[in-house]
Amino acid sequence: MNNVIEKYFPHLTDRQREQFNMMGGLYPEWNEKINVISRKDIQNLYVNHILHSLGIAKMLDLKSGSRVLDFGTGGGFPGVPLAVMFPDSHFHLVDRIGKKLRVAEDIATRIGLENVSIQHGDIKEVKGKFDFVVSRAVMRLDEIVPLVKRLIDAKCINSLPNGLICLKGGELDSEIHNYRRSVLIEQLKYWFDEPFFETKKVVYLPIQTK
């Protein structure tokens, strides 16, 4: 396993280490068939994709039984790394692009994840309630909120109120304008030393439902 994961998450179990280690072989193998990650970027898999996904785990410590929806998961980011990190929570991965979703499903199966479900389709087709919706550079915050609000469970079991958590980069003023009073933005550069994270952020928006 690339030591950068253990650098920031030193208390992994042997099983988690094994699963993260397996990703290092499986994603490049799939990327030869389906361009899930940029060909130039696959060598940065652990920092730019796996560790980036785990930025959410620095903000959120999920309790057992939590349900998380990964909206626009693509090849499984951030859902698959988070499912490894939180084996007692369930992750539902959704994407409209079937070939990328096959990668996520195959890797989740081959590394032995039993807390992941897959749905090929539009976010409007998703049913059920979730504690959190997570996404990684899918669309603007003000575009996501109307799509996922109905999916947020009114009952909260975690210390962080239920809501939306997005991995973002760059300037965010325009898309968070309507949520300034409630949105929380954490800079990943304060948690991770690598230059990649200089402009990367975790954006959290609590969503209240009836």
Side-chain angles (χ1 to χ4, degrees), residues 3-14:
N3 290 334
V4 73
I5 306 299
E6 202 157 15
K7 174 182 176 182
Y8 297 106
F9 297 94
H11 303 299
L12 298 174
T13 65
D14 289 342

Side-chain angles (χ1 to χ4, degrees), residues 152-167:
I152 301 297
D153 199 336
K155 182 181 179 181
C156 181
I157 65 172
N158 291 281
S159 57
L160 196 68
N162 294 356
L164 173 66
I165 304 178
C166 299
L167 291 163

Side-chain angles (χ1 to χ4, degrees), residues 32-156:
E32 290 295 319
K33 309 170 191 174
I34 298 174
N35 194 22
V36 177
I37 297 170
S38 165
R39 305 283 183 182
K40 297 179 181 179
D41 203 33
I42 190 66
Q43 62 185 359
N44 300 313
L45 171 68
Y46 276 100
V47 171
N48 295 10
H49 300 279
I50 297 176
L51 186 60
H52 188 208
S53 297
L54 295 176
I56 292 173
K58 285 294 188 181
M59 172 180 280
L60 177 65
D61 186 14
L62 288 171
K63 288 190 176 180
S64 178
S66 296
R67 289 181 52 81
V68 179
L69 170 67
D70 181 2
F71 171 33
T73 188
F77 300 108
V80 169
L82 289 173
V84 172
M85 189 61 67
F86 299 109
D88 296 323
S89 296
H90 185 82
F91 292 81
H92 189 58
L93 279 51
V94 179
D95 204 284
R96 290 186 295 182
I97 303 176
K99 63 180 182 179
K100 289 187 176 182
L101 205 55
R102 286 198 300 273
V103 177
E105 184 172 24
D106 180 72
I107 289 177
T109 299
R110 290 169 72 181
I111 67 176
L113 289 177
E114 299 179 351
N115 58 334
V116 168
S117 55
I118 302 288
Q119 182 174 345
H120 178 207
D122 191 89
I123 187 69
K124 296 176 182 178
E125 300 168 351
V126 176
K127 298 179 180 179
K129 295 292 184 179
F130 302 87
D131 300 286
F132 295 96
V133 175
V134 299
S135 78
R136 183 174 182 253
V138 172
M139 60 176 65
R140 288 169 55 95
L141 192 72
D142 50 7
E143 295 174 338
I144 296 179
V145 173
L147 295 174
V148 304
K149 188 173 183 179
R150 68 178 178 85
L151 298 169
I152 301 297
D153 199 336
K155 182 181 179 181
C156 181

